[in-house]
Amino acid sequence: MTDRALIAQLQGYGLTTAEIHYYRPDAPSLLQLFVWQDYDLAPDFPILFDFLDYWRREIEAALHSVRIAHDRLIRPTEWRAVKGEVDFH
């Protein structure tokens, strides 16, 4: 894990994976798959939607569908104070 990834997770970002199905103009009968992965904020996914906007502007391929999976690896709610001690002998 890189420092960038850890910092992003501590700021509330979670690992986001998108399966992007698309058609190329030179093979319109062939549905192709591109897998994209980055740290993003659910449920708005601003980084993913910026990438999809770039795709629509710059890449000559028609989007068919996008399937999104998101998992927060580190959340502030996972950390809690523990009161008391338990001794095992």
Side-chain angles (χ1 to χ4, degrees), residues 1 3 5 7 9 12 18 23 34-35 48 50 53-54 61 65 67 70 72 74 79 89:
M1 182 180 313
D3 291 336
I7 291 168
Q9 291 173 49
Y23 295 103
F34 178 79
V35 177
L48 173 60
D50 285 346
D53 288 340
Y54 170 81
S65 61
R67 187 165 67 166
H70 181 268
R72 291 192 178 158
I74 298 177
W79 299 94
H89 297 280

Side-chain angles (χ1 to χ4, degrees), residues 36-89:
W36 175 93
Q37 195 171 53
D38 203 347
Y39 289 91
D40 208 349
L41 290 169
D44 296 329
F45 301 108
I47 296 171
L48 173 60
F49 287 124
D50 285 346
F51 174 75
L52 292 175
D53 288 340
Y54 170 81
W55 180 293
R56 288 184 193 103
R57 283 190 324 270
E58 304 295 330
I59 299 174
E60 292 185 22
L63 292 175
H64 174 269
S65 61
V66 178
R67 187 165 67 166
I68 302 169
H70 181 268
D71 183 28
R72 291 192 178 158
L73 301 175
I74 298 177
R75 287 179 266 186
T77 57
E78 291 180 357
W79 299 94
R80 62 186 172 99
V82 177
K83 297 178 182 177
E85 292 181 16
V86 176
D87 292 326
F88 293 99
H89 297 280

